[in-house]
Amino acid sequence: MPFEADLTHALRRTTDSLEPDLTALVSGAVERGRARRRRRGAGAVLIGAGACAVLTATALVLPGELAALHAPHSTGSDIEPAALALPRSEIKDTEMIQAVEKTFPGARFSEATGQSNNPSDPSAGYVANGEVTLDDGHGAARVGVSAVRLKLPLKEGDGLSCEQTPARAKGDTCAVSELPSSAALPGGARVMTQVNAAEQPVRADTAHRWTVTVTLKSTGAQVQLVQWNSTGGGDGAHTPKPTRPAPPLTEQQAVTALTGAIWAPVLGAVA
């Protein structure tokens, strides 16, 4: 799946083959999750919300693995990957896919893929993700969400600081903000939002991806949503052309969704 490449990318987080006490995910080269499966078979997510970890070498959550997300950009050796911890409970790939679909009510879905995590078997993966191609009447788009648990105390790793992201193309953006503590977010959360072009130099027909990563500061639970304005992620010229000018959800809508009732069970299971 093309999104695997993205999600993967975004999935810089996927730690498929990490050892339980491995504290550093393979550095910058990893585009969130691209690790062995480039997830999404290559298509994703996510998501980087979320934001997380390791698939190293190349590329979620998500969808093309959120990984391929940063594929178009160079990665620096000074980028410090986040350290993952085993999730508290198992999250099935079907649960992730269903949650993704509920996040976009009224849309039609196809090409759904996902990955389960398994606390009792670290080799099966630290990252759970789900991704789909959706059509909400405004053009098809590939979207995916990945979920992981970061080790505490949190450090300035993937999904936590714009200083730790790969070099960006002209026009790309990255911002970090804080959400206050509340009943839904005890201890508050850090939110990182990114917009990245699939290739550079950027042209009128260049696809983009929008990544929102939410990390709970008290538990390290992290979810990442990756949205493309095309039918999949990829690397540069291999990314499908845009099908719409903007992603299905705005930045604020994405944050609201990831911190709401739909994703609360996943955040709880991860933490």
Side-chain angles (χ1 to χ4, degrees):
M1 311 193 36
F3 213 42
E4 241 91 52
D6 311 328
L7 218 14
T8 298
H9 185 231
L11 265 171
R12 233 177 190 138
R13 33 167 106 222
T14 149
T15 81
D16 256 343
S17 54
L18 296 182
E19 289 299 326
D21 47 1
L22 194 60
T23 57
L25 308 180
V26 182
S27 98
V30 188
E31 301 197 32
R32 246 187 216 220
R34 218 190 253 242
R36 9 150 147 165
R37 11 187 127 182
R38 240 200 168 190
R39 271 246 99 221
R40 217 152 247 75
V45 140
L46 219 127
I47 241 67
C52 320
V54 114
L55 265 216
T56 108
T58 6
L60 124 83
V61 297
L62 333 218
E65 292 289 0
L66 298 180
L69 303 188
H70 302 317
H73 313 300
S74 63
T75 54
S77 59
D78 59 335
I79 296 175
E80 179 184 353
L84 301 185
L86 283 171
R88 304 288 188 186
S89 304
E90 181 177 13
I91 304 174
K92 296 290 188 181
D93 54 354
T94 52
E95 295 177 70
M96 292 296 294
I97 293 170
Q98 290 170 2
V100 171
E101 293 180 344
K102 290 179 181 178
T103 302
F104 302 89
R108 293 179 299 174
F109 306 99
S110 62
E111 300 180 320
T113 62
Q115 174 175 294
S116 305
N117 63 18
N118 190 344
S120 64
D121 182 10
S123 65
Y126 287 45
V127 179
N129 64 54
E131 58 186 279
V132 301
T133 295
L134 66 78
D135 187 345
D136 57 3
H138 300 288
R142 188 70 182 174
V143 301
V145 177
S146 60
V148 299
R149 178 173 163 237
L150 304 186
K151 287 189 175 181
L152 297 176
L154 295 177
K155 297 181 180 180
E156 296 300 296
D158 191 24
L160 299 171
S161 170
C162 290
E163 298 304 316
Q164 301 296 325
T165 60
R168 297 183 288 276
K170 183 177 180 180
D172 286 0
T173 63
C174 181
V176 175
S177 59
E178 301 282 332
L179 294 178
S181 179
S182 65
L185 301 173
R190 181 172 296 186
V191 177
M192 189 170 85
T193 59
Q194 296 171 271
V195 179
N196 299 93
E199 62 183 334
Q200 50 180 308
V202 178
R203 302 177 304 183
D205 62 349
T206 293
H208 286 71
R209 79 171 177 279
W210 287 258
T211 306
V212 175
T213 302
V214 175
T215 306
L216 301 191
K217 294 191 287 186
S218 63
T219 65
Q222 184 183 77
V223 288
Q224 180 181 77
L225 167 65
V226 173
Q227 305 179 86
W228 285 88
N229 65 337
S230 70
T231 55
D235 298 340
H238 300 296
T239 302
K241 297 304 179 184
T243 53
R244 54 195 295 155
L249 297 182
T250 64
E251 177 183 305
Q252 186 54 57
Q253 288 174 327
V255 173
T256 298
L258 293 174
T259 56
I262 293 174
W263 290 99
V266 171
L267 282 169
V270 171

